[in-house]
Amino acid sequence: MRPDFPLPDTTWEPTAEFWAGAARHELRIPFCARCGRGCWYPRERCRSCGGAEFEWRTMSGRGTLFSWVVVTHAFLPHFGDLVPFVPALIALDEDPAVRLATRVVDTDPDQLAFDLPMEVTFRPITFAGVDGSVTAPLFTPA
Amino acid sequence: MAAPHEDWGWATEYEDVSGAVAVCGVGESDHSKASGRTANQVVAQAVERALDDAGLAPADIDGLMYVPFGYQFDAAAFHEHFGTSHDIWESKAGGGMRWAASAPYEAALALRDKRATHILNSFGVAWATERSQMVGGPGESHAQELFKQNLEVPFGWFPQPVYFATVARRHMHEFGTTEDQLGAVAVACRRHANLTPGAVMHDRPLTLEQYRQSRLIVAPFRREDCCLISDGGGAYIMTTPERARDLGPPVVEVAGVGLGNSVTGTHWAEQPAFTSTPQVFAAPVAFQMAGLTPADVDVYTCYDPFTIHTVMQIEDSGFCEKGGGGEFVAGDALQFDVGRLPTNTHGGLLSHAYVLGIAHVVEVVRQLRGEAAAQVRDARVGIYGGYTGPQAATLILRRP
């Protein structure tokens, strides 16, 4: 395993633009040039129409809360300092079929509700025992 | 029962193998928490017991099926353990999970083509021992996968308890499923495990009230919504129904089998039908092949890493409408003696042992022979719903 796991490998080609965008505080998602749908995760072919051309677009950073959980057990030792935390899936406004896995921050989990409007906030993420940090798109209620 | 999204998967085309293959021997290893045993030792014990059950000698086994990943009880391991050297047909379309359900399909084709006469499918893990040494376990392959490494793990959306608690919460939202309904699944499994001598949780009762008080680990999941991590394994031997009638145990034959696939693999965030399993594609194939309907099923088992999987697979296999699973499983509905659908009657992955479904098949066979610990009265038709996430398979067994 990479020594910086569970930080992302920001150089891995399929998601490099996503992480490069995050470093600039932009939420970047590929859309199919043929059918116009969001294609997430990035694939060689569009799952909807089979198209092979993609255009990375900058999202508004707004979406709705699709589902979430409250993690109170550190499944990796690296998560020890984070617990409790709130991984979530956000359906993006530009194409709600795109569900972004992310983490909800600065929020009491009891205040969360389905379809709650959410917005992106770019924060450095770090993990116990791992050097360095990466800027990542996290979310708060809008 | 229509799938809410038919664009997310498909059924593999299967030939009709109804009545073409029988299970003539079953065996399980001892199941335990961390035991210091290796997967090899675990599987070999299960295989020896399956041979004893069938009344066969090691030299009679001329076909071996095992899992396409991880530890494999292949011909080399078989020969080394038993000191044999005969020719053995091998297939990596076996093992646990969905393969424990679909292996009989591949075996039926091999029997038809005379590639083998007695085919052994086996699977085992020593994940409890490995986890105690901080290696291996069910999360490892997920941690290695690059989309997960780069789009899920950095956000803490990892591993399986986290994905499926997210699915469960969405299921609650879409269909009104409640925590007590999930609890009913856990309680039924525990009661069955309490009755099953080999179950890891045999001596640990669980009431719904205790479930409600158990620790939240990834809300909405409590500890008791999650399967065990175990050392253990199982094996079953397949042959033609004609040959099976010459052997000792009562004949249990395959009535139908189906395999369903999801286009989004293990990336559940991408799966359009977020609260469904590929059983929606697999089960109709198996029922059609068998000429049976869900109403004909006497005993049901399914791959149950989390309580929500039992709810979803009951829906997706057609026992109720999509979304009706929570209501369906409530109360004592899954219990072997009073339930409307006796389910995971050995305790399942939740309370029997996390041996990835191979013991579920063993349990169905025992139920249909009338040999189970928590025996369903006059069980004639039983199912194992196998699951890996990207795929699910339905195996329908019957007493002819």
Side-chain angles (χ1 to χ4, degrees):
Chain A
M1 194 64 82
R2 289 179 286 113
D4 56 348
F5 176 89
L7 287 173
D9 174 0
T10 56
T11 67
W12 187 55
E13 198 277 330
T15 56
E17 177 60 21
F18 175 79
W19 289 109
R24 304 188 302 265
H25 290 203
E26 292 176 3
L27 183 58
R28 301 275 288 169
I29 297 290
F31 280 69
C32 176
R34 189 154 87 189
C35 74
R37 293 200 186 176
C39 295
W40 196 248
Y41 303 162
R43 302 284 176 191
E44 290 179 6
R45 295 270 172 185
C46 171
R47 219 170 61 218
S48 301
C49 77
E53 299 288 323
F54 301 97
E55 177 199 352
W56 285 81
R57 298 184 193 163
T58 302
M59 302 290 96
S60 64
R62 285 188 288 274
T64 53
L65 188 58
F66 183 78
S67 194
W68 74 97
V69 296
V70 184
V71 176
T72 42
H73 170 85
F75 291 97
L76 290 174
H78 316 88
F79 295 160
D81 294 349
L82 281 174
V83 171
F85 65 98
V86 184
L89 299 180
I90 306 293
L92 296 186
D93 278 1
E94 285 82 354
D95 183 349
V98 171
R99 301 184 202 125
L100 198 67
T102 183
R103 189 148 58 81
V104 174
V105 291
D106 302 345
T107 311
D108 177 353
D110 291 342
Q111 303 304 310
L112 297 176
F114 288 95
D115 305 323
L116 187 71
M118 306 290 289
E119 68 185 3
V120 74
T121 175
F122 291 94
R123 305 279 177 90
I125 54 172
T126 59
F127 293 102
V130 175
D131 290 337
S133 73
V134 170
T135 301
L138 308 184
F139 278 74
T140 62
Chain B
M1 184 213 65
H5 302 270
E6 285 167 350
D7 60 338
W8 65 280
W10 73 97
T12 298
E13 213 162 295
Y14 267 0
E15 295 175 47
D16 187 347
V17 298
S18 189
V21 56
V23 179
C24 63
V26 294
E28 291 173 272
S29 73
D30 298 339
H31 303 301
S32 67
K33 297 180 178 178
S35 62
R37 295 178 292 165
T38 65
N40 188 319
Q41 291 171 317
V42 163
V43 175
Q45 186 183 44
V47 170
E48 285 172 7
R49 289 172 177 175
L51 286 167
D52 284 350
D53 180 60
L56 291 170
D60 295 323
I61 299 298
D62 56 4
L64 282 178
M65 303 190 72
Y66 44 83
V67 69
F69 57 87
Y71 170 73
Q72 299 163 359
F73 197 70
D74 57 12
F78 185 93
H79 287 317
E80 185 175 333
H81 183 76
F82 290 110
T84 47
S85 59
H86 56 290
D87 284 343
I88 296 181
W89 171 81
E90 293 181 272
S91 164
K92 291 187 181 180
M97 305 179 90
R98 73 88 169 161
W99 293 277
S102 56
Y105 177 79
E106 306 294 337
L109 302 185
L111 292 166
R112 182 194 66 190
D113 298 342
K114 314 284 187 206
R115 281 175 278 172
T117 53
H118 303 112
I119 300 173
L120 174 95
N121 180 41
S122 68
F123 184 79
V125 287
W127 277 351
T129 291
E130 291 167 17
R131 285 307 298 156
S132 69
Q133 297 156 4
M134 293 307 284
V135 296
E140 185 179 72
S141 65
H142 288 227
Q144 300 283 353
E145 202 274 332
L146 290 174
F147 277 110
K148 290 182 176 294
Q149 273 189 24
N150 291 299
L151 295 178
E152 298 179 358
V153 178
F155 301 101
W157 203 60
F158 170 88
Q160 287 92 327
V162 180
Y163 316 142
F164 293 109
T166 314
V167 170
R169 193 187 293 277
R170 185 73 196 179
H171 198 280
M172 291 170 164
H173 171 63
E174 291 180 359
F175 305 120
T177 308
T178 67
E179 291 184 26
D180 274 6
Q181 289 166 352
L182 297 183
V185 175
V187 167
C189 277
R190 187 61 61 83
R191 180 167 174 241
H192 297 153
N194 294 156
L195 293 164
T196 302
V200 174
M201 302 303 269
H202 177 259
D203 300 316
R204 301 272 296 276
L206 178 72
T207 64
L208 186 61
E209 187 52 37
Q210 287 171 318
Y211 167 87
R212 291 180 186 132
Q213 300 301 323
S214 81
R215 189 163 59 93
L216 282 164
I217 61 168
V218 45
F221 278 168
R222 302 177 179 282
R223 186 169 169 271
E224 310 297 353
D225 289 296
C226 305
C227 66
L228 307 166
I229 298 288
S230 311
D231 293 353
Y236 59 87
I237 302 169
M238 296 166 284
T239 188
T240 61
E242 297 71 37
R243 170 69 182 136
R245 278 190 278 277
D246 296 335
L247 298 170
V251 175
V252 171
E253 68 177 25
V254 171
V257 57
L259 175 63
N261 312 269
S262 151
V263 297
T264 50
T266 58
H267 305 112
W268 286 279
E270 290 187 281
Q271 185 174 304
F274 190 66
T275 52
S276 293
T277 68
Q279 293 293 9
V280 297
F281 309 112
V285 174
F287 278 116
Q288 188 182 19
M289 191 185 293
L292 296 169
T293 71
D296 298 314
V297 176
D298 301 307
V299 57
Y300 180 67
T301 69
C302 66
Y303 193 87
D304 56 333
F306 304 99
T307 48
I308 191 65
H309 284 92
T310 301
V311 174
M312 291 194 294
Q313 290 184 88
I314 282 174
E315 295 169 345
D316 297 343
S317 302
F319 292 100
C320 62
E321 291 297 306
K322 188 66 198 174
E327 207 166 310
F328 186 95
V329 305
D332 53 14
L334 304 187
Q335 300 200 9
F336 80 103
D337 47 356
V338 295
R340 67 166 107 174
L341 183 65
T343 295
N344 287 340
T345 44
H346 59 326
L349 304 178
L350 294 173
S351 282
H352 174 258
Y354 184 48
V355 295
L356 282 72
I358 193 87
H360 289 57
V361 178
V362 172
E363 170 67 9
V364 175
V365 171
R366 287 188 178 143
Q367 286 282 352
L368 300 183
R369 290 179 180 176
E371 298 171 354
Q375 179 66 46
V376 175
R377 194 152 45 87
D378 196 31
R380 303 191 68 86
V381 175
I383 285 191
Y384 167 57
Y387 175 83
T388 57
Q391 293 181 310
T394 298
L395 173 66
I396 307 177
L397 297 172
R398 73 180 163 216
R399 179 153 49 98

